C-alpha cells in the first residue's frame, strides 16, 4: 500500500510542532471536529501537509474558489511528489444555468463552455480514489454537487488483460455503453478508433497518452501505452482499466428502468397541471419530456440528463444526491481552508439552486424530480463528515 511521503527542505518551527502534534493526536483519537487558527503566511499549508503525512488518511481539502484551490494543489504537489494530488473544481469556463423569469415571460436556455482539461482532472481524481489510498483532492464547493453513483461508476469500468478471451466487437459495445465515441480521425480524450484487429482508446483521465489493444482472433494479444501525438510506444501493459467517460454513465438496464419512472412522473405531473387549467405549462412539459426520453432511448443520454439523476440512480424523492464525498473511503479526512468563508458558501449553495428551479418546475420547463439534482444541504454535508479540520 502506498503511503504519504512528505518531501520538504523545511522543518516545523515556532508553534507548528505543537499544532501538528495536537491535531494528529486528536484525529488519531477519533475526534470529529478540530480547528487550526493561524495567521496568513505562517505556514498553514505546510502544517496541513505534516498532519496528512502523519495520519495517513485519504484527504479532501476544500477551498472557496478555483484560484485558491489551484494554488493549494500546486503546493501539495510539491510536498507530495510521489502521491496522488488531484484537482476537482467546476469544469465550466462559462455557465449560464437554465432559468425562467415569469414577470417578463423570459426563458433562458442553459449555455455553457466546458474546460476539457479540468474535466480530465475531475476524472483523474475519481479514478485515483478507486485505485489507491494515498490521495489528496483539492476541491472547490463543486464537491457537494451531484455526481453519478460511485458503485455504478465502478461497475462500468472496462477491465482488459493480456491473454484475455473477449470478442473485439464486445469491447467496442462496452466502450459505447460507457459514453466513449468512435472517431477514427479526430482522436481526442473520450474517443476510440478501430483499425482491423487494433483498438486504440483515449481514456477520459489521460492527457497525452492513449492505450492500444491488439487482438489475435478473440484473444487480447498485446496492450501498449502510446503517445497520442507521435504514436511512439511508451510501454507494454499486462492490464488496463478504462473508466467511464462521464460520471453520469449508467447501464442500459438502469436507463430503461429510469425511463419508465420518468414517464410515470410525467404522466402524474401532466394530469395535475391540466386539473389546474395550466394547459400551456402541460404542453411545454410534455414536449420537452418526450424529446428527452427519445434521446435517452436512442443515444443513451440527453441534454440536461443530470435533471433526471434521481431516476437514473434509483433514489427516492428528497434523497440527497451522490457527490464526490461518496467516492471516498469511510476513514477519510476533510480539511476546510479559509473556513470562515468556505463554510457559509457550502451552507448557501442549496437555497440558490432551489429558488432557480422552483420557477422552472412551476411553469412546466422541468419535472419536480429536477429538484433532486442539487448540491447537498448543510445538515447532509455534516452527516458525511467523518473527521474535519477547520483552518
Amino acid at each position: 500500500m502506498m503511503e504519504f511521503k512528505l518531501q520538504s527542505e523545511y522543518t516545523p518551527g515556532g508553534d507548528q510542532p505543537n499544532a501538528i502534534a495536537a491535531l494528529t493526536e486528536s484525529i488519531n483519537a477519533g475526534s470529529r471536529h478540530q480547528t487550526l487558527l493561524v495567521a496568513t503566511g505562517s505556514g498553514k499549508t505546510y502544517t496541513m501537509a505534516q498532519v496528512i503525512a502523519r495520519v495517513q488518511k485519504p484527504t479532501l481539502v476544500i477551498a472557496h474558489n478555483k484560484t485558491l484551490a489551484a494554488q493549494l494543489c500546486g503546493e501539495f504537489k510539491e510536498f507530495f511528489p510521489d502521491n496522488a494530488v488531484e484537482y476537482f473544481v467546476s469544469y465550466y469556463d462559462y455557465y449560464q444555468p437554465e432559468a425562467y423569469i415569469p414577470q417578463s415571460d423570459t426563458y433562458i436556455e442553459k449555455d455553457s463552455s466546458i474546460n476539457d482539461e479540468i474535466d480530465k482532472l475531475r476524472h483523474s481524481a475519481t479514478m485515483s480514489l478507486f485505485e489507491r489510498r494515498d490521495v489528496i483532492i483539492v476541491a472547490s464547493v463543486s464537491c457537494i454537487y451531484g455526481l453519478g453513483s460511485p458503485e455504478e461508476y465502478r461497475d462500468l469500468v472496462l477491465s482488459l488483460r493480456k491473454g484475455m478471451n473477449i470478442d473485439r466487437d464486445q469491447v467496442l459495445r462496452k466502450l459505447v455503453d460507457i459514453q466513449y465515441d468512435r472517431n477514427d480521425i479526430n482522436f481526442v480524450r473520450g474517443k476510440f478508433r478501430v483499425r482491423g484487429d487494433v483498438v486504440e482508446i483515449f481514456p477520459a483521465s489521460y492527457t497525452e497518452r492513449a492505450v492500444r489493444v491488439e487482438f489475435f482472433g478473440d484473444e487480447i494479444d498485446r496492450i501498449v501505452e502510446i503517445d497520442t501525438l507521435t504514436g511512439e510506444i511508451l510501454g507494454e501493459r499486462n492490464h488496463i482499466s478504462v473508466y467511464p467517460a462521464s460520471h453520469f454513465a449508467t447501464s442500459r438496464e438502469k436507463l430503461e428502468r429510469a425511463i419508465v419512472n420518468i414517464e410515470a412522473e410525467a404522466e402524474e405531473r401532466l394530469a395535475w397541471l391540466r386539473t389546474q387549467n395550466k394547459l400551456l405549462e402541460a404542453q411545454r412539459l410534455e414536449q420537452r419530456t418526450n424529446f428527452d426520453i427519445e434521446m435517452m432511448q436512442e443515444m443513451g443520454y440527453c441534454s440536461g440528463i443530470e435533471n433526471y439523476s434521481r431516476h437514473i440512480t434509483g433514489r427516492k424523492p428528497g434523497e440527497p444526491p451522490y457527490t464526490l464525498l461518496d467516492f471516498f473511503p469511510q476513514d477519510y479526512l476533510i480539511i476546510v481552508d479559509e473556513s470562515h468563508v468556505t463554510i457559509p458558501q457550502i451552507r448557501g449553495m442549496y437555497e440558490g439552486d432551489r429558488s432557480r428551479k422552483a420557477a422552472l418546475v412551476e411553469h412546466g420547463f422541468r419535472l419536480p424530480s429536477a429538484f433532486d439534482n442539487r448540491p447537498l444541504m448543510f445538515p447532509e454535508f455534516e452527516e458525511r463528515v467523518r473527521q474535519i479540520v477547520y483552518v
Side-chain angles (χ1 to χ4, degrees):
M1 185 180 74
M2 294 284 286
E3 291 186 347
F4 286 110
K5 289 182 182 171
L6 177 61
Q7 296 184 21
S8 173
E9 60 192 46
Y10 308 113
T11 53
D15 291 330
Q16 284 180 334
N18 292 337
I20 293 163
L23 283 170
T24 304
E25 186 182 343
S26 183
I27 292 166
N28 287 336
S31 298
R32 248 188 114 194
H33 300 272
Q34 287 78 232
T35 303
L36 174 63
L37 190 62
V38 288
T40 303
S42 56
K44 63 180 179 181
T45 309
Y46 177 66
T47 305
M48 287 190 269
Q50 283 281 358
V51 171
I52 291 167
R54 294 188 188 196
V55 300
Q56 293 290 323
K57 289 175 181 279
T59 303
L60 172 64
V61 181
I62 307 178
H64 61 84
N65 64 49
K66 286 183 178 182
T67 308
L68 185 60
Q71 180 188 328
L72 279 170
C73 188
E75 289 173 5
F76 277 118
K77 278 185 174 174
E78 288 178 14
F79 289 135
F80 298 103
D82 299 329
N83 304 111
V85 179
E86 306 286 358
Y87 183 61
F88 190 97
V89 298
S90 169
Y91 52 28
Y92 295 112
D93 281 335
Y94 163 75
Y95 183 65
Q96 167 59 60
E98 182 182 34
Y100 178 67
I101 305 165
Q103 293 86 341
S104 58
D105 190 27
T106 305
Y107 172 69
I108 302 166
E109 197 170 358
K110 176 182 171 180
D111 186 21
S112 63
S113 168
I114 290 178
N115 185 311
D116 196 60
E117 180 65 18
I118 293 178
D119 187 38
K120 188 240 2 171
L121 293 171
R122 285 165 64 98
H123 280 284
S124 178
T126 48
M127 185 185 79
S128 292
L129 286 171
F130 284 129
E131 295 189 340
R132 54 201 296 177
R133 274 186 59 83
D134 59 323
V135 180
I136 299 169
I137 295 182
V138 184
S140 66
V141 289
S142 185
C143 67
I144 67 163
Y145 275 78
L147 277 184
S149 160
E151 288 81 15
E152 187 79 10
Y153 188 74
R154 186 191 293 113
D155 292 346
L156 287 172
V157 171
L158 173 60
S159 181
L160 300 173
R161 293 182 184 279
K162 186 177 177 180
M164 182 180 183
N165 280 307
I166 186 168
D167 180 41
R168 189 205 68 164
D169 290 348
Q170 190 180 334
V171 172
L172 303 187
R173 280 193 294 272
K174 175 71 175 174
L175 285 168
V176 171
D177 286 344
I178 61 174
Q179 308 278 304
Y180 282 81
D181 297 326
R182 179 171 177 173
N183 193 319
D184 293 344
I185 300 163
N186 184 27
F187 189 50
V188 293
R189 208 176 55 81
K191 310 286 184 193
F192 68 93
R193 63 187 179 195
V194 187
R195 293 170 179 171
D197 282 343
V198 177
V199 179
E200 292 180 347
I201 308 161
F202 202 144
S205 55
Y206 287 16
T207 307
E208 294 163 351
R209 295 171 296 134
V211 175
R212 179 181 293 155
V213 183
E214 299 174 7
F215 287 83
F216 184 77
D218 285 347
E219 183 182 323
I220 295 176
D221 189 42
R222 189 175 178 227
I223 301 172
V224 293
E225 210 166 272
I226 60 169
D227 185 299
T228 52
L229 182 64
T230 64
E232 177 191 354
I233 293 174
L234 303 174
E236 290 210 21
R237 300 284 178 266
N238 288 319
H239 170 255
I240 56 147
S241 294
V242 181
Y243 285 81
S246 166
H247 285 111
F248 291 98
T250 190
S251 64
R252 174 54 67 175
E253 297 77 36
K254 288 196 175 179
L255 190 64
E256 285 170 0
R257 184 198 65 201
I259 288 169
V260 170
N261 292 337
I262 292 165
E263 285 172 339
E265 188 194 4
E267 201 173 308
E268 186 182 318
R269 181 67 178 171
L270 288 168
W272 183 86
L273 287 170
R274 285 169 184 143
T275 60
Q276 301 297 308
N277 204 31
K278 293 187 174 183
L279 303 181
L280 174 63
E281 287 84 348
Q283 172 64 23
R284 271 182 197 147
L285 188 64
E286 187 172 28
Q287 194 172 358
R288 157 158 276 183
T289 308
N290 286 343
F291 177 78
D292 287 348
I293 287 170
E294 284 177 26
M295 285 293 289
M296 283 189 269
Q297 286 171 333
E298 297 302 322
M299 306 291 293
Y301 61 91
C302 70
S303 176
I305 194 169
E306 63 275 5
N307 289 294
Y308 303 108
S309 60
R310 188 189 88 199
H311 296 296
I312 291 167
T313 55
R315 289 179 286 122
K316 296 187 178 78
E319 260 190 79
Y322 292 109
T323 65
L324 179 66
L325 277 61
D326 296 296
F327 283 73
F328 276 87
Q330 289 293 312
D331 62 339
Y332 76 107
L333 173 68
I334 297 178
I335 297 175
V336 184
D337 191 38
E338 306 284 3
S339 57
H340 61 290
V341 180
T342 310
I343 292 296
Q345 199 179 49
I346 292 171
R347 188 186 289 275
M349 287 292 138
Y350 170 76
E351 292 300 336
D353 183 78
R354 177 87 187 185
S355 63
R356 177 178 61 81
K357 283 186 180 152
L360 289 169
V361 171
E362 186 184 342
H363 293 89
F365 290 97
R366 285 287 168 199
L367 289 170
S369 56
F371 282 131
D372 292 314
N373 168 46
R374 58 176 176 82
L376 293 175
M377 297 182 206
F378 194 70
E380 293 166 347
F381 171 74
E382 288 185 301
E383 283 171 19
R384 283 157 180 71
V385 170
R386 302 288 181 267
Q387 292 182 296
I388 188 166
V389 178
Y390 305 97
V391 182

